[in-house]
Amino acid sequence: MIKITNLRVGVDSKQELKSLVARRLNISYADISAVQIIKKSIDARKKNNICLVYAVVVAVQQQDKVLSKHAKDKDIAVFEMAEPLTINCGTEPLSDRPVVVGAGPAGLMAAYMLARYGYKPLLIERGKSVAARSIDVEDFWAGGELDPESNVQFGEGGAGTFSDGKLTTRITDPAIRDILELLVECGAPTEILYKQKPHVGTDVLKVVVSNLSDKIRALGGEILFATRLDDLIINDNKLKAIVLSDGRQLECSCLVLAVGHSARETYQMLQERGVALQNKNLAIGVRIEHTQEFINKMQYGELAGTPILDVADYAVTFQDKEAARGAYSFCMCPGGMVVASSSVKNCVVTNGMSLYKRDNHLANSALVVTVDERDFGSEPLAVMRFQEQYEQAAFVAGGSNYYAPAQSVQSFLRAAEPDLQASFISSYRPGVRAYDLHKLLPETVSNTLRKALMYFEQRMPGFAQDALLIGVETRTSAPVRITRDADTRQSINISGLYPSGEGAGYAGGIISAAADGYNTAVSIIEKYVALEK
């Protein structure tokens, strides 16, 4: 097999990929038996010359001859298959089956791997199944009551289920390919295996999550929904048992703690039980919403709307040197909507979500500013309380009915009477209320955000014009880190406790969290004997 990288194709090209590969290799079409895409991206740096860029693997006749002909071409080489991951079961006996807490990406992947290797895990999730949870979320968005146990944050699939479903990650880990292939098996589109910015969307992710849970059960795992971890029984710095919300106490010497970044009662319980926690910096701010048409034109120019191009996204950053703070976009959702994401009553939290087709007429992104111990102190749970303070304030600012406080970017920049003047109505449900966000956000955050918006407008004319700001965005990451040993992946002071994923402070997205859960399970597998071969 031959690998070709940097295969550039104009967006107006009518030739099929196999023909383009034949021309690139200077061989006949008939000499190619197979072409597989392994990477696909869009190069939109030059608006008048936007290209699709491929990396492909090609099966050809007389491979050695073809490679010899292109020996000096850095973009053509022998394709080397990655070595499959090797996992060997350990030798220590397990006194009871492993328990995984949390059915988000980290917990689901940890439970799947443990089940796959014969450890019969018990997976507990405080929220409901994805089907039942979806009904509760839709009811809340329509103006109904918030269920603190079944919402955007809690339930099968975790917070990522009601998001854009982005699968991009900055980490490099051999487990990622295994994870992506599993997601495809569970119903994700094959394109996630090669797109530079893969995503699945909430609608597809619900199916994937449900199918993954079915695989866990088929492999011998058990899943309990509406079951919260309420306490740990610890003796001599060793985990002995856990207490569930229904009052049951289960013997447990091996616990994967993958609770997600919003499990505030769990963080409080961990502190009370003496589990080592660390304070962690955060970023807070707002959601900024534009029309998708504007984002497409900003990125693609006259080629905006070309069918072969994905809907456009963006990533922006700004450094406020005077305040020593950064501002940046986060979790950008093209063709998506801003969603109510609270898990606590009388609090307003925003997030972004899209469906697989990303065909909504609006786009949104978090626009957040870094905060640190200057803002909330050094106590381990101080960040969590800092989040709650502004979520509660946002609830009141929105009218105490889960409406979100919002204003046009222009009224924010002018420090004028807040208004909602835009060519569109915000996608946020149940609704928005005009409010001066300078009065809601910390002054340092508000000032840096104002500077950032002016900076972005200079470099991307129109960015600060027809746009709304919706507050508040506070759940950008976990508020604490549950400190663990780098080698064993166990808590640094409680044997048998394995903090994992975004909620433990070791990941930042669906794939990085899934990879952390995967590797946490591998640590357990390589230490203990399987319960069933």
Side-chain angles (χ1 to χ4, degrees), residues 12-32:
D12 57 351
S13 174
K14 299 297 190 291
Q15 286 188 282
E16 64 168 312
L17 188 59
K18 188 174 177 180
S19 296
L20 293 168
V21 169
R23 187 172 68 182
R24 181 71 179 83
L25 293 176
N26 194 24
I27 59 177
S28 73
Y29 185 94
D31 286 338
I32 300 174

Side-chain angles (χ1 to χ4, degrees), residues 273-290:
R273 294 293 166 263
V275 177
L277 305 175
Q278 278 184 346
N279 206 337
K280 187 170 167 290
N281 291 346
L282 196 69
I284 71 166
V286 295
R287 280 268 152 187
I288 185 168
E289 194 164 33
H290 297 89

Side-chain angles (χ1 to χ4, degrees), residues 100 102 106-117 120-123 216 219 221-223 256 517 521:
V100 179
L108 283 171
M109 193 54 59
Y112 169 77
M113 289 298 292
L114 289 168
R116 176 177 160 187
Y117 280 82
K120 293 185 174 180
L122 170 64
L123 172 60
I216 292 168
L219 291 167
E222 181 184 0
I223 302 176
V256 178

Side-chain angles (χ1 to χ4, degrees), residues 82-134:
E83 289 293 324
L85 293 171
T86 302
I87 302 172
N88 298 309
C89 293
T91 57
E92 292 187 30
L94 263 174
S95 56
D96 37 64
R97 61 177 170 170
V99 177
V100 179
V101 180
L108 283 171
M109 193 54 59
Y112 169 77
M113 289 298 292
L114 289 168
R116 176 177 160 187
Y117 280 82
Y119 290 78
K120 293 185 174 180
L122 170 64
L123 172 60
I124 64 171
E125 164 58 51
R126 67 186 293 176
K128 298 179 183 178
S129 69
V130 71
R133 174 191 184 196
S134 296

